[in-house]
């Protein structure tokens, strides 16, 4: 059961956040934070995993495909600082970064997988999205690497299950997030909106008020079609009265022509028709869409909590709060969230430098939580972190998000993490199409059901 597993996983996430909130190191000095930032191993230099690369002296180039393209974000700084650190300590190893936005990376990886030329390290999403790659034997099991230096124990309990098949772990997640609605307090005040919406009707009213004031209500970059789907799934989570709609479809208990799904399509189209999103949203990629919010040009942004650090590093830092997605037509619990156990790092089973690649990824994963903490980007990561958010200088927004984690009662994974890729692609295109034309909701539901039945496994 998705809800049960995620409740367990996010309960551990809560523990991690509480550790962040309650640890009494009481020192905001960055140097002090380095020592208190993580339970992860401090270095691989003296560990077993570094030995093979260091001792061999063999010149090795490792390709690291990633989805951190924005130089303004902490994630970009993290990957560059860690790879540069590793190359400095291991001069025989060169890490080549192949940096793409999310949809570009997904398309490129599919092409590479078809020719069995997966990069040494690549990015995958959990469960249904990565299963075809595992079934095709493209990823190497990482159990041996995780067992070294206690690395496995640095991950929140249950999180690695989403990346495991037949008792083998095939990828290491970068996060364990929830979807929230960020809002610009200054723009809300400018529009005369005093409270954040708790119902869908209030959300639509706020959209109208903001629109009338000449303010873009909600940022989005729907050229990368996952963004609209991620938002849509919040509505379905509400109209269904709770989590589990897609699982019920998979189990044959419901179809996509169920009233809850049709109602969700209708509500989503209300948002579009109300002018909630930027003009030409389908021609804007996810990063550019996010920048509309991060440059103060949109009042709201419904996205994963992984953006907290990036918002704090942007020009709207200090002006942003966050709230739960509201109820829809009186249905749903705001403390049930769209859950995002994160994208994850997988290693090619056909890598010419398999051991060296595992050595580097072990270093990367070991240093990851400490580096993210230093960069004020540790809220929502998938590994345990010891540290005090306030004392470390984290923002009120980060504390706000940590508080929302504490309220998680469960939720759903994204559509494309749950359904097979063929059905998911039809869904992504169908939702994307709603941004450019109004479509009969019953027809959208039937399109989904037809795709599901045609691609049953």
């Amino acid at each position: 059961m998705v809800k049960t597993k995620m409740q367990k996983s996010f309960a551990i996430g809560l523990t991690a956040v509480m550790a962040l909130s309650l640890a009494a190191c009481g020192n905001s000095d960055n140097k002090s934070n380095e020592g208190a930032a993580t339970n992860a191993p401090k270095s691989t230099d003296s560990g077993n995993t570094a030995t093979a690369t260091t001792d061999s002296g063999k010149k090795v180039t490792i390709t690291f495909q990633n989805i951190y393209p924005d130089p303004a974000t902490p994630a970009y700084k993290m990957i560059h600082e860690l790879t540069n650190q590793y190359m400095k300590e291991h001069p025989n190893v060169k890490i080549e970064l192949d940096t793409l936005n999310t949809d570009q990376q997904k398309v490129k990886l599919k092409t590479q997988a078809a020719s069995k030329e997966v990069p040494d390290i690549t990015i995958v999403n959990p469960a249904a999205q990565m299963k075809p790659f595992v079934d095709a034997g493209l990823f190497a099991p990482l159990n041996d690497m995780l067992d070294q230096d206690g690395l496995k124990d640095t991950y929140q309990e249950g999180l690695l299950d989403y990346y495991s098949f037949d008792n083998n772990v095939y990828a290491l997640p970068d996060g364990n997030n929830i979807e929230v609605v960020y809002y610009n307090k200054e723009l809300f005040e400018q529009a005369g909106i005093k409270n954040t919406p708790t119902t869908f009707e209030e959300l639509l009213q706020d959209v109208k008020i903001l629109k009338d004031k000449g303010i873009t209500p909600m940022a989005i970059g729907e050229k990368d079609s996952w963004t609209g789907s991620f938002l849509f799934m919040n509505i379905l989570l509400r109209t269904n009265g709770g989590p589990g709609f897609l699982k019920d479809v998979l189990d044959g208990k419901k179809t996509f022509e169920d009233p809850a799904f049709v109602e969700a399509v209708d509500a989503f189209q209300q948002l579009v028709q109300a002018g909630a999103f930027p003009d030409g949203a389908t021609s804007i990629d996810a990063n550019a869409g996010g920048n509309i919010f991060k440059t103060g040009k949109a009042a709201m942004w419904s996205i994963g909590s992984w953006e907290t650090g990036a918002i704090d590093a942007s020009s709207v830092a200090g002006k942003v709060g966050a709230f739960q997605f509201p109820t829809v037509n009186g249905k749903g619990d705001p403390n049930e969230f769209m859950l995002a156990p994160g994208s994850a790092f997988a290693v090619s089973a056909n890598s010419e430098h398999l051991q060296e690649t595992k050595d580097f990824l072990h270093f990367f994963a070991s240093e990851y939580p400490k580096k993210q903490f230093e960069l004020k980007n540790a809220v929502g990561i998938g590994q345990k972190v010891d540290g005090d958010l306030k004392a470390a200088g984290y923002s009120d927004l980060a504390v706000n998000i940590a508080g929302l984690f504490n309220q998680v009662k469960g939720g759903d994974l994204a559509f494309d993490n749950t359904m097979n890729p063929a059905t998911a692609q039809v869904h992504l295109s169908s939702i994307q199409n709603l941004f450019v034309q109004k479509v009969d909701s019953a027809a959208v539901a039937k399109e989904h059901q037809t795709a599901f039945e045609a691609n049953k496994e």
Side-chain angles (χ1 to χ4, degrees), residues 127-344:
Q129 280 198 60
M130 69 178 292
K131 187 174 184 298
F133 297 97
V134 174
D135 289 345
L138 295 173
F139 294 156
L142 303 177
N143 303 42
D144 55 342
M145 190 190 77
L146 279 164
D147 287 340
Q148 292 175 342
D149 301 330
L151 180 59
K152 185 176 184 178
D153 293 334
T154 68
Y155 286 88
Q156 294 169 23
E157 186 180 352
L159 183 58
L160 293 173
D161 292 348
Y162 295 106
Y163 306 90
S164 300
F165 299 85
D166 297 327
N167 298 316
N168 287 316
V169 181
Y170 287 94
L172 306 185
D174 62 357
N176 199 12
N177 288 276
I178 55 176
E179 184 172 10
V180 301
V181 184
Y182 295 100
Y183 72 104
N184 185 315
K185 296 177 182 177
E186 282 192 355
L187 293 182
F188 265 47
E189 185 177 349
Q190 186 179 324
I193 301 171
K194 295 182 179 178
N195 300 307
T196 56
T198 59
T199 69
F200 196 69
E201 293 73 21
E202 291 175 354
L203 177 62
L204 288 173
Q205 182 64 26
D206 290 344
V207 165
K208 183 178 185 308
I209 293 170
L210 290 161
K211 189 81 176 169
D212 289 346
K213 292 286 185 181
I215 299 168
T216 300
M218 298 190 83
I220 198 166
E222 178 59 8
K223 184 178 180 181
D224 295 344
S225 52
W226 65 269
T227 53
S229 170
F230 204 31
L231 195 160
F232 168 80
M233 289 297 292
N234 282 278
I235 299 175
L236 180 59
L237 179 62
R238 299 289 183 257
T239 59
N240 190 52
F245 180 86
L246 296 183
K247 186 176 187 307
D248 283 347
V249 172
L250 287 167
D251 291 345
K253 297 176 181 176
K254 289 184 178 177
T255 74
F256 282 104
E257 295 178 274
D258 185 275
F261 189 84
V262 175
E263 184 180 359
V265 175
D266 282 331
F268 187 80
Q269 291 203 106
Q270 281 184 280
L271 264 185
V272 175
Q273 297 300 317
F277 306 109
D279 294 337
T282 56
S283 63
I284 304 168
D285 69 24
N287 289 313
N291 283 335
I292 296 173
F293 181 82
K294 289 185 280 186
T295 54
K297 296 173 183 171
M300 292 179 278
W301 187 22
S302 180
I303 198 73
S305 52
W306 61 76
E307 291 289 352
T308 303
I311 290 171
D312 282 336
S314 75
S315 62
V316 294
K319 304 175 184 176
V320 176
F323 60 90
Q324 301 103 316
F325 198 86
T327 59
V328 178
N329 300 330
K331 300 175 184 175
D333 183 337
N335 289 323
E336 292 173 334
F337 290 79
M338 284 304 300
L339 308 172
S343 46

Side-chain angles (χ1 to χ4, degrees), residues 231-449:
L231 195 160
F232 168 80
M233 289 297 292
N234 282 278
I235 299 175
L236 180 59
L237 179 62
R238 299 289 183 257
T239 59
N240 190 52
F245 180 86
L246 296 183
K247 186 176 187 307
D248 283 347
V249 172
L250 287 167
D251 291 345
K253 297 176 181 176
K254 289 184 178 177
T255 74
F256 282 104
E257 295 178 274
D258 185 275
F261 189 84
V262 175
E263 184 180 359
V265 175
D266 282 331
F268 187 80
Q269 291 203 106
Q270 281 184 280
L271 264 185
V272 175
Q273 297 300 317
F277 306 109
D279 294 337
T282 56
S283 63
I284 304 168
D285 69 24
N287 289 313
N291 283 335
I292 296 173
F293 181 82
K294 289 185 280 186
T295 54
K297 296 173 183 171
M300 292 179 278
W301 187 22
S302 180
I303 198 73
S305 52
W306 61 76
E307 291 289 352
T308 303
I311 290 171
D312 282 336
S314 75
S315 62
V316 294
K319 304 175 184 176
V320 176
F323 60 90
Q324 301 103 316
F325 198 86
T327 59
V328 178
N329 300 330
K331 300 175 184 175
D333 183 337
N335 289 323
E336 292 173 334
F337 290 79
M338 284 304 300
L339 308 172
S343 46
F345 309 104
V347 171
S348 170
N350 299 318
S351 170
E352 293 180 7
H353 316 293
L354 183 58
Q355 186 56 53
E356 289 86 352
T357 301
K358 284 186 175 181
D359 292 345
F360 165 68
L361 185 57
H362 182 280
F363 162 85
F364 183 86
S366 299
E367 298 293 327
Y368 181 85
K370 185 173 71 173
K371 179 58 66 179
Q372 290 285 54
F373 192 86
E374 289 173 13
L375 293 169
K376 307 288 191 292
N377 200 36
V379 173
I381 71 169
Q383 288 166 277
K384 301 169 188 172
V385 180
D386 289 331
D388 185 324
L389 286 177
K390 274 289 188 184
Y394 274 70
S395 68
D396 289 342
L397 175 64
V399 176
N400 180 180
I401 296 293
L404 292 180
F405 269 96
N406 292 349
Q407 299 177 45
V408 173
K409 290 183 177 178
D412 280 328
L413 297 184
F415 192 105
D416 53 1
N417 287 336
T418 309
M419 288 287 170
N420 63 61
T423 304
Q425 188 54 55
V426 171
H427 161 77
L428 294 171
S429 298
S430 183
I431 297 302
Q432 187 183 50
N433 186 47
L434 300 181
F435 283 82
V436 294
Q437 64 175 329
K438 194 170 189 307
V439 181
D440 178 57
S441 54
V444 174
K446 186 172 180 58
E447 181 181 33
H448 278 73
Q449 186 61 26

